[in-house]
Amino acid sequence: MTLTALDYGIILVFFLAVITIGIVVSKKSGKSSSEFFLSGRNMPWWLLGFSMVATTFSTDTPNFVTDVVRKDGVSGNWIWWAFLITGLLTVFVYAKLWRKSNVETDMEFYELRYGGKPAKFLRGFRSVYLGLAFNVLAMAGVTLAAIKIGQVMLGLTSLEVVGIAGTVTVFFSAVGGFRGVIYTDFLLFFVAMAGSIGAAYYLVNLPEVGGMAELMTHENVQGKLAMLPSWSDKEKFITILIIPLAVQWWSSWFPGAEPGGGGYIAQRMLAAKNENHAVGATFFFNVMHYALRPWPWIIVALASLVVFPDIASIQTAFPNVEESKLGHDLAYSAMLTMLPAGLLGLVLASLGAAYMSTISTHLNWGSSYIVHDFYKQHINKNASEKELVRVGRLSTVVLMIISTIVALLLNHATQLFDIIIMFGAGTGLVFIMRWFWSRINAWSEITAMFVSGIISILVNFTFIGTWLFGEKVDNVFHEGVFVAWMQYPFVVFATTVCWLLVTFLTPKEKNEVLFNFYKKTQPGGPGWKKVIKAAKDQNIDIVESKEAWTVPTGILAVLVGTVAVYGALFTTGKFIYGEYQNAGLFLMITLLAAFTLMFLWRKLKGKVF
């Protein structure tokens, strides 16, 4: 693979554009911490929606999808497609609540919903736990993918990749703040989409592949095409489809798909002009993320099975790649080396775009936790706005350095997915219920967080796990099958039981805390009846509207929306496969669900916005 002057020109123009945006918005972003982390809370839905999509369009995502497809086929993607339900629940139930809360970060939520020392501890500890530990892990996965791309496509060493890409990204993230991230995300989205679609079209028509028709009939590919796992392989059917759809989506915390909303998705909802813009941005993101964007990556992954049928063939073609970095996920980068001049430069720019978008978001998001929820709360409560911005910029650099070190120690794309999923198992339900069940307190969340982590360690890395589950304990992603089918539900069940017991064994939150939370967010529902009655008994009015509770309609919208988005996913897939009759059938289902969803959405807007 040889880069031409045209390729270098495209890459150079792209990087200069990104740096320029960061410099231009730096003055405004540095005015206050609110500007640096939330861009003044005046962002429109379409800009935030593009930003959400661009953020999750990271360099590790194509590698991850390729890894999954090569091991378990297209149907293996249900391990993350199932998170659509979580995403739509955020759209139609939680987006308006987050925007109403008006908090600076989702960690600040803890001292709005709970009270006393447990709430302060939870906010401080979780800000470090997520903002530093989990955030670093997520960034490390993205950086690992960038390292593999750099080694395969450019012949760079690991240190050279992180030195170049990391320096540019941390510069404009530290200088431009959240506004810089949002504006560059808009540019990055179109560059990344053009690169992935162009690459898929060219690579599937390589002489070795022979076009879509030949690809569909190739012996290495035929067994990988099914969009649903076969019932004949019960273990894969359960672990890839049943557990994700029945348990995983609501029970596990995962960046970008947090039950009840949270993380950098919540950050963008909090930056929206109003509740309506928060809902619109989140819905746009979910449609693009699940229904349309995966297919270019899937096509390249399937084509790679023809050109590079196994890891040994990848190693033969790229002998300079470090042995510790070899894996099926490397096939995506290997395929991109076959692109022609011009398109190669665009694709490399798109991969740079994907890397920078995701890393810059994680840097700003993680830094917001460290500044607002740790430094300001526990180090210097009287810190000036300029000091908070300085700490934010410093923490941005520190997070980048730590995540880079972790990335150099990793091997393949599924490692971090396994770790994050298991350590968040069982915590999701408390994040969903805390808005609508007043009995949940800070100890409920503290218990869920610690018990999930402890049990995951015991199950996966000790003799207890071996005793309970046998030999499968040695690898969560065992032979390409997501989370041994007994392990994950066990962690979820044990964690849920523990936090529910603690909820009933510890005192409920004080009435004044619950009154203030309800008055500000207006969650509604039977779980708040006792609180509303207690407020009335004290002649305190906390209910702003007599409208009917909208959550049942919201849940119905989630169900209909799920059918619509999955219908669009299958419509696109069947059309690509050349199964036009099936594509037409799924299109009809999609359109019917979409029209029904429009009706429900108008109903929700009439009562909520």
Side-chain angles (χ1 to χ4, degrees):
M1 182 191 78
T2 303
L3 291 174
T4 66
L6 176 61
D7 297 317
Y8 282 115
I10 293 172
I11 296 169
L12 181 61
V13 168
F14 163 73
F15 278 106
L16 287 175
V18 168
I19 293 172
T20 301
I21 291 173
I23 293 173
V24 169
V25 304
S26 62
K27 187 175 181 180
K28 191 169 186 178
S29 295
K31 285 183 177 180
S32 68
S33 59
S34 178
E35 276 289 345
F36 191 78
F37 294 117
L38 291 174
S39 65
R41 298 183 188 270
N42 63 353
M43 289 286 113
W45 71 268
W46 57 270
L47 197 54
L48 292 172
F50 278 118
S51 178
M52 291 180 188
V53 181
T55 293
T56 52
F57 201 139
S58 56
T59 46
D60 65 325
T61 313
N63 289 23
F64 174 77
V65 170
T66 301
D67 198 26
V68 169
V69 171
R70 286 173 65 90
K71 290 178 179 177
D72 296 318
V74 176
S75 65
N77 286 288
W78 283 102
I79 63 174
W80 67 274
W81 283 343
F83 282 123
L84 168 67
I85 308 171
T86 310
L88 292 183
L89 197 63
T90 298
V91 172
F92 296 112
V93 177
Y94 294 104
K96 66 184 182 67
L97 297 174
W98 277 110
R99 190 60 186 85
K100 280 184 177 181
S101 71
N102 206 38
V103 294
E104 293 281 344
T105 70
D106 55 319
M107 294 297 105
E108 187 182 335
F109 168 89
Y110 290 118
E111 290 195 82
L112 174 65
R113 175 62 176 82
Y114 311 122
K117 291 182 179 179
K120 290 183 181 296
F121 167 79
L122 184 58
R123 180 180 180 181
F125 181 85
R126 195 160 175 81
S127 66
V128 176
Y129 180 69
L130 293 182
L132 183 60
F134 269 66
N135 197 31
V136 162
L137 289 176
M139 287 192 294
V142 177
T143 303
L144 172 66
I147 289 171
K148 293 193 174 190
I149 291 168
Q151 288 185 349
V152 170
M153 299 189 69
L154 301 174
L156 299 174
T157 66
S158 297
L159 291 176
E160 287 172 336
V161 172
V162 298
I164 297 170
T167 300
V168 175
T169 304
V170 79
F171 172 78
F172 94 85
S173 298
V175 170
F178 186 68
R179 188 178 296 274
V181 171
I182 293 294
Y183 288 171
T184 53
D185 275 350
F186 185 70
L187 169 65
L188 302 179
F189 168 81
F190 290 102
V191 174
M193 284 300 297
S196 65
I197 294 173
Y201 179 82
Y202 181 86
L203 293 173
V204 82
N205 288 295
L206 286 172
E208 300 96 314
V209 181
M212 283 301 301
E214 290 294 323
L215 179 65
M216 297 295 103
T217 58
H218 196 280
E219 59 180 356
N220 293 352
V221 174
Q222 280 187 313
K224 306 288 186 179
L225 292 172
M227 294 179 65
L228 291 171
S230 173
W231 172 247
S232 61
D233 189 340
K234 291 183 175 58
E235 184 176 2
K236 283 193 175 183
F237 187 83
I238 292 172
T239 56
I240 288 176
L241 186 66
I242 300 302
I243 288 179
L245 287 176
V247 182
Q248 176 191 312
W249 71 267
W250 59 263
S251 64
S252 188
W253 184 95
F254 190 78
E258 299 87 347
Y264 52 77
I265 299 299
Q267 185 188 29
R268 279 151 178 75
M269 291 188 288
L270 293 170
K273 286 183 177 180
N274 53 42
E275 298 156 32
N276 197 15
H277 281 267
V279 172
T282 316
F283 182 71
F284 176 81
F285 158 67
N286 278 278
V287 173
M288 292 297 298
H289 182 60
Y290 293 100
L292 302 176
R293 194 179 56 183
W295 283 108
W297 304 330
I298 291 172
I299 292 171
V300 174
L302 292 172
S304 75
L305 288 166
V306 178
V307 182
F308 302 104
D310 51 32
I311 295 177
S313 60
I314 299 175
Q315 186 175 24
T316 301
F318 303 96
N320 293 327
V321 174
E322 298 169 18
E323 189 172 349
S324 63
K325 305 302 182 187
L326 283 170
H328 284 289
D329 56 339
L330 206 62
Y332 188 82
S333 305
M335 291 295 292
L336 298 183
T337 62
M338 301 178 178
L339 296 175
L343 183 55
L344 178 60
L346 178 63
V347 168
L348 281 172
S350 75
L351 293 172
Y355 172 81
M356 295 174 70
S357 175
T358 303
I359 292 295
S360 62
T361 288
H362 277 275
L363 288 172
N364 189 269
W365 166 52
S367 180
S368 72
Y369 285 176
I370 293 171
V371 170
H372 283 298
D373 305 302
F374 184 75
Y375 184 83
K376 189 176 181 180
Q377 300 301 314
H378 300 279
I379 305 299
N380 186 1
K381 294 182 179 180
N382 300 315
S384 66
E385 289 297 314
K386 287 187 176 180
E387 181 181 348
L388 293 178
V389 172
R390 283 198 302 269
V391 174
R393 285 172 171 163
L394 177 62
S395 59
T396 296
V397 176
V398 172
L399 285 171
M400 188 72 225
I401 293 172
I402 297 173
S403 66
T404 297
I405 294 171
V406 175
L408 295 172
L409 302 174
L410 295 172
N411 297 324
H412 59 81
T414 55
Q415 282 177 300
L416 292 179
F417 184 86
D418 301 337
I419 293 170
I420 293 173
I421 283 290
M422 287 300 287
F423 272 75
T427 61
L429 190 59
V430 72
F431 299 143
I432 291 174
M433 296 298 295
R434 64 189 181 182
W435 293 90
F436 300 109
W437 186 22
S438 64
R439 189 63 181 82
I440 288 177
N441 57 36
W443 291 110
S444 307
E445 291 209 35
I446 291 170
T447 302
M449 180 173 58
F450 280 101
V451 170
S452 176
I454 292 169
I455 294 179
S456 293
I457 292 172
L458 292 175
V459 166
N460 287 286
F461 304 110
T462 72
F463 70 93
I464 294 176
T466 305
W467 175 64
L468 285 172
F469 303 110
E471 63 180 6
K472 287 181 183 177
V473 73
D474 65 350
N475 192 349
V476 178
F477 206 99
H478 182 70
E479 294 299 326
V481 179
F482 169 66
V483 183
W485 70 276
M486 290 177 64
Q487 287 176 293
Y488 183 80
F490 174 79
V491 177
V492 170
F493 176 77
T495 302
T496 304
V497 168
C498 287
W499 75 254
L500 282 172
L501 284 174
V502 169
T503 299
F504 288 108
L505 292 174
T506 52
K508 70 180 185 68
E509 296 294 338
K510 293 181 179 180
N511 278 342
E512 52 265 36
V513 174
L514 298 176
F515 293 170
N516 178 60
F517 176 77
Y518 193 94
K519 188 170 184 178
K520 194 166 189 179
T521 61
Q522 300 292 299
W528 289 96
K529 283 185 177 180
K530 291 183 179 180
V531 175
I532 295 172
K533 184 179 183 301
K536 284 183 178 179
D537 292 342
Q538 298 180 37
N539 295 317
I540 300 174
D541 187 13
I542 62 173
V543 180
E544 293 182 355
S545 174
K546 304 299 181 183
E547 295 279 359
W549 193 35
T550 61
V551 169
T553 304
I555 292 174
L556 181 58
V558 171
L559 296 175
V560 174
T562 300
V563 173
V565 177
Y566 281 150
L569 172 71
F570 274 77
T571 299
T572 307
K574 295 300 181 182
F575 180 81
I576 290 171
Y577 287 178
E579 300 176 15
Y580 300 118
Q581 186 173 354
N582 288 334
L585 176 62
F586 281 112
L587 179 60
M588 291 176 60
I589 294 172
T590 302
L591 293 174
L592 179 62
F595 282 119
T596 306
L597 184 61
M598 289 173 60
F599 168 77
L600 293 172
W601 199 331
R602 283 196 295 268
K603 189 176 179 182
L604 283 170
K605 286 177 66 176
K607 291 182 178 179
V608 177
F609 300 105

